[in-house]
Every structure is written in C-alpha cells, then in structure tokens.
Amino acid sequence: MNFGKLGTQLAALALGASALGASPARADAPPVRIGMTVSSTGTFALASQSGERGVEIWVDDVNRRGGIEIDGQKRRVELVKRDDRSDKQMVARVYEDLINNEKVDMVFAPFGSTLTAAAATVTERLGKFMMVWSASSDPIYEQGFKYVVSGTQMPASLQLRLPMEYVSKLGGKKVALIYSDEPFPTALATGGKAQAEKNGLDVVLYERYPKGQKDFSTLLQKVRASGADVFFPTSYEGDLISIARQMKQLNINFPFTFMFYASTPQFQAIGKDGDYIFSNTNYDPAINWKVNAGLDREQFAQAYARLFPKAEFAADFQTALAYGSGVIAEEIIKKAQSTDPAGLKQAALDLSGKLTVMAGPYEINEQGKQLQMPFPVVQLQPGKGMVALYPEDVATGKPIYPIPAWNKR
C-alpha cells in the first residue's frame, strides 16, 4: 500500500465510501455518518489499515444495496475518517471533533486497546455509540461504559485459551511469557498465564518489557535460561518480527513458539525466518462459518480483490474483524431503527447470540464484551503457508512439532 497516498486521503475531513453500482437512496434521506480514525504512521499503522479496508468493504456493500433502511427510508453510509498517527492523545482530540463538529451518528473504534481506551472516554462523555473491532483488553469493558460494544473481538483473557490447550495436548511443559507494556499485550499475557496454569503448564517466566524496545537479545537469553519449551512473546507485529529475526541471529529456538500476529501477511513478509511459528486466525480457507448476516468468506475475498487490487498485503484476520463489526453495526441499526446510543446498545444486546458473520458467532455480555469469535490455532509451514491445526473440526493438516533447530531447517 502507498502510505503517502493514504496519509493524503486521511487528511480529508470526510471521505464518502466507494459505491460503484449502488442502488439509489432517496435524495432527501440523510446518510448515516460513521466516524473512525486510521493510523497512517506509528506502531499500529499496518494493523489499523488492514481493519480500515474491512470497514470499507462493508460500506461499499451496504451502499450497493441502497443503504440501511430506517423508518422506511434507505440511508446510505458515509464514512468520516481521520488520521490518529497511533497517538492516544490525538485519538481523544479527533473523536471529540468527529462528534462535535462532524456530527457523526456513531463511531467505529480505532485499532487496538491503547487507542480504543482513549477514544471510549470521549465517546462515552459525549454520548455516542462506539463499535469496537479490535480492542480486547478486558478493563475497557469493566469501566461502566454504557455505549461501547465489541462487535467481533473476543477478550484478551480468552484469546490464548485454544493455543494453551493445544500445546498441552502436544506435550508442552514449561511456558515463558514476555509482553510489551501496553494494554492489549499485557491483557493477552495475563489471560495466557491463567490459561496455561488451567491446562497444567508450568509458567517459568512471566516478564514485561518497555514499549518501544528494539533489542531483545538479553530477554531472549533469559527465556532460554528459564528452561522453557513453550515461548509466547505477546506484542504487535513490529516487535514480533524483531523477536523472530533476533532468535535466528542468536540461534535460540523453542519446540513451540506462538506469536499472535504471525498469521498476518505483514508478518509473513519476513519469509523463512517466520517458518514453523504457531499463531491463530479467524480468516483462513478452512474457516467458513455459516453466516446469517453479511458476506461469506468467499464473497468477502472477491470484494477485497475488487476494491483493493493494488493493496500491498492480502486480507487478514483484522480485515475480517473490522468487516464483521460493520455488518453487526448494520444489524444493530436496523434493529434499533435509529442511531440513538441507548437504542443501539439495547439492540446490540437483543441480537446477542443471534448473528453469525464471516468472523464467527456474535455474543456479548451486558458490558459489551465479546464472548465468541474464537481464533483457531495455525502454523506457518514451509511450502504450505498457514495450516489450520486446532480445534480438530477446522484442522487442515498436522503440526511440525517440535519446531526444528535453526541449523536443521
């Protein structure tokens, strides 16, 4: 993707979503204006832009169908986007501007727990419904926010349940968890520690490192010295790419290494250094939920190819999560027949357990926390790409375990 071009696009106050071939809505029907921010630069840029493309696919699809019907009127969706530069202070300012000056009807959250937490304090204070597509830090949903709902992202406390179950079944014994000092990686590690212990694994190292760290050599040596045979570094793509490369440089290897974002095309661009790493995703040819709202996986893939023929990266789980949240937002608006925040929240609760989108089944609790959307375990295997392994009902192959030493690959 051309990031320079993206930055120019995001500088605009409002961008109408593409809708070639869209059915016309009534000329006097106002659009449903949805605000969101996208990171053109910084830590969250790659993931944020993957999610943005998912939202764009939903907007394109709904506008091709003529819009969302509210009180007998088809109302098109207008996406109002701003740049947040991966900066939580900027997020707060921009969401306030989207609500007060752009007069958006509702908002989609920015990428990730760090930015979403900053946005939520603003949207709640100003009384706007916020649809979350990526923030999974449990504390976000424990602060009493009335109008925050996670459409597709399950909480971090549960996200490592399947990989911990799986490595226990494989015969793993000792786990080392390291994590970046940020809300999502911290919540992921906290939940992972609990899930490891629940599955009878011995957590021999559990250590935080500062945000922005680039040299992981000392920490990796410490992980090796711990005697761990299972390694879970939890952070974003940039850190994980650095860790994988430095493991090779230091000739450090573990029978089972799991990296949350190794399933993304951005991570896999590192090539053979990423081989054999275990990960998870809900966007894979083997994972085809029986959807009752929105496009299925094949239709979504076709839409992605049509709308983004020159995208640097293919769709990934973040694209799927964001698209699914758009579909769920549409169903919530139709159920509420308005964009009133209290009505939207009640509709979100009423639809809980009744929708299945491409990313999986939708179910929330009273806090708006997502309880479903499981991420099956996969492995990056040489010559095969991403192979689904667990649960067994979505498996397309067998694991390569233990991971071979660097000099035996």
Side-chain angles (χ1 to χ4, degrees):
M1 173 173 285
N2 186 322
F3 292 147
K5 182 178 179 182
L6 177 68
T8 300
Q9 292 171 335
L10 291 174
L13 291 178
L15 297 178
S18 59
L20 294 175
S23 302
R26 281 180 49 176
D28 59 343
V32 176
R33 287 170 59 81
I34 298 178
M36 70 178 292
T37 65
V38 183
S39 304
S40 67
T41 58
T43 305
F44 310 125
L46 292 175
S48 176
Q49 291 159 27
S50 290
E52 176 206 12
R53 293 192 287 273
V55 175
E56 291 279 13
I57 290 172
W58 167 67
V59 173
D60 176 78
D61 181 62
V62 73
N63 285 343
R64 282 172 171 264
R65 291 183 274 110
I68 302 174
E69 187 168 327
I70 303 175
D71 290 334
Q73 291 185 315
K74 283 276 193 176
R75 294 175 57 182
R76 292 167 59 81
V77 172
E78 182 179 351
L79 197 57
V80 185
K81 295 188 294 186
R82 294 286 187 85
D83 187 1
D84 61 42
R85 302 179 191 170
S86 300
D87 185 316
K88 63 183 181 181
Q89 280 77 30
M90 180 172 284
V91 160
R93 294 195 300 271
V94 171
Y95 274 86
E96 185 157 354
D97 185 67
L98 285 168
I99 295 168
N100 286 336
N101 297 322
E102 290 298 324
K103 307 298 182 185
V104 296
D105 297 298
M106 61 173 286
V107 299
F108 280 14
F111 170 78
S113 299
T114 301
L115 302 185
T116 297
T121 60
V122 175
T123 60
E124 195 73 14
R125 173 170 55 84
L126 298 178
K128 285 295 176 184
F129 183 87
M130 182 164 72
M131 173 58 68
V132 174
W133 61 272
S134 73
S136 61
S137 178
D138 290 73
I140 290 175
Y141 306 98
E142 296 165 359
Q143 297 182 45
F145 294 141
K146 295 185 293 184
Y147 308 132
V148 173
V149 166
S150 175
T152 49
Q153 179 68 76
M154 72 187 306
S157 59
L158 299 178
Q159 283 187 334
L160 295 185
R161 177 177 62 84
L162 290 182
M164 289 299 181
E165 280 182 9
Y166 186 57
V167 72
S168 176
K169 290 176 182 292
L170 289 178
K173 302 296 183 186
K174 298 180 178 181
V175 180
L177 286 134
I178 64 171
Y179 58 99
S180 173
D181 188 13
E182 296 179 82
F184 171 64
T186 299
L188 196 64
T190 302
K193 183 174 184 290
Q195 294 296 329
E197 292 167 347
K198 182 178 179 180
N199 283 279
L201 299 165
D202 183 14
V203 179
V204 294
L205 183 70
Y206 181 70
E207 186 159 328
R208 179 177 59 195
Y209 66 84
K211 176 183 176 181
Q213 181 166 321
K214 302 299 181 185
D215 184 354
F216 296 94
S217 57
T218 300
L219 190 52
L220 286 170
Q221 297 282 8
K222 190 171 183 178
V223 174
R224 179 162 60 182
S226 73
D229 60 326
V230 177
F231 181 36
F232 275 76
T234 67
S235 188
Y236 297 106
E237 282 124 318
D239 284 6
L240 296 177
I241 289 169
S242 295
I243 289 170
R245 286 173 168 162
Q246 290 176 38
M247 285 174 65
K248 180 180 180 181
Q249 292 166 2
L250 297 167
N251 193 29
I252 292 177
N253 187 61
F254 302 94
F256 187 99
T257 294
F258 181 97
M259 295 185 176
F260 191 88
Y261 287 99
S263 62
T264 68
Q266 296 91 327
F267 181 94
Q268 292 171 36
I270 70 175
K272 293 182 179 180
D273 290 354
D275 283 350
Y276 305 103
I277 291 174
F278 292 85
S279 187
N280 57 184
T281 187
N282 64 355
Y283 185 66
D284 183 82
I287 303 165
N288 292 290
W289 296 100
K290 188 175 181 180
V291 305
N292 61 16
L295 306 175
D296 61 24
R297 190 192 59 78
E298 185 175 347
Q299 292 167 333
F300 172 83
Q302 292 170 354
Y304 188 92
R306 174 174 56 83
L307 288 174
F308 308 107
K310 297 182 179 179
E312 183 178 355
F313 297 110
D316 61 23
F317 73 83
Q318 292 156 141
T319 326
L321 290 175
Y323 168 74
S325 284
V327 173
I328 289 165
E330 178 183 353
E331 295 300 317
I332 289 170
I333 292 169
K334 289 194 295 186
K335 178 76 173 176
Q337 283 294 288
S338 78
T339 56
D340 170 72
L344 292 173
K345 176 61 181 292
Q346 186 57 53
L349 291 168
D350 292 343
L351 290 169
S352 178
K354 299 176 182 177
L355 298 175
T356 299
V357 297
M358 185 193 70
Y362 164 80
E363 182 181 347
I364 60 170
N365 64 9
E366 290 286 336
Q367 299 170 320
K369 183 190 292 187
Q370 180 58 236
L371 304 177
Q372 292 292 333
M373 305 288 168
F375 276 41
V377 179
V378 298
Q379 186 181 30
L380 308 184
Q381 297 186 357
K384 295 181 180 179
M386 202 157 57
V387 178
L389 301 173
Y390 186 77
E392 293 177 1
D393 56 0
V394 300
T396 58
K398 300 292 184 181
I400 299 174
Y401 174 85
I403 293 174
W406 290 103
N407 62 1
K408 301 215 174 146
R409 301 187 184 190

